mmCIF file of all heavy atoms in Angstrom:
data_model
loop_
_atom_site.group_PDB
_atom_site.id
_atom_site.type_symbol
_atom_site.label_atom_id
_atom_site.label_comp_id
_atom_site.label_asym_id
_atom_site.label_seq_id
_atom_site.Cartn_x
_atom_site.Cartn_y
_atom_site.Cartn_z
ATOM 1 N N GLN A 135 3.771 12.070 15.997
ATOM 2 C CA GLN A 135 4.141 12.748 17.239
ATOM 3 C C GLN A 135 3.801 11.887 18.451
ATOM 4 O O GLN A 135 4.569 11.805 19.403
ATOM 5 C CB GLN A 135 3.439 14.098 17.329
ATOM 6 C CG GLN A 135 3.950 15.096 16.329
ATOM 7 C CD GLN A 135 3.147 16.388 16.325
ATOM 8 O OE1 GLN A 135 2.223 16.557 17.114
ATOM 9 N NE2 GLN A 135 3.497 17.295 15.423
ATOM 10 N N ASN A 148 9.320 9.188 5.758
ATOM 11 C CA ASN A 148 8.030 8.742 6.273
ATOM 12 C C ASN A 148 7.097 8.201 5.210
ATOM 13 O O ASN A 148 6.203 7.438 5.515
ATOM 14 C CB ASN A 148 7.337 9.885 7.010
ATOM 15 C CG ASN A 148 8.075 10.232 8.279
ATOM 16 O OD1 ASN A 148 8.522 9.346 8.990
ATOM 17 N ND2 ASN A 148 8.228 11.497 8.552
ATOM 18 N N TYR A 168 1.632 -1.721 10.024
ATOM 19 C CA TYR A 168 0.319 -1.099 10.009
ATOM 20 C C TYR A 168 0.380 0.232 9.269
ATOM 21 O O TYR A 168 1.435 0.844 9.158
ATOM 22 C CB TYR A 168 -0.175 -0.835 11.437
ATOM 23 C CG TYR A 168 -0.282 -2.080 12.273
ATOM 24 C CD1 TYR A 168 0.744 -2.448 13.134
ATOM 25 C CD2 TYR A 168 -1.393 -2.889 12.187
ATOM 26 C CE1 TYR A 168 0.656 -3.595 13.904
ATOM 27 C CE2 TYR A 168 -1.500 -4.047 12.957
ATOM 28 C CZ TYR A 168 -0.467 -4.383 13.810
ATOM 29 O OH TYR A 168 -0.563 -5.515 14.562
#
Side-chain angles (χ1 to χ4, degrees):
Q135 291 174 3
N148 292 319
Y168 301 97

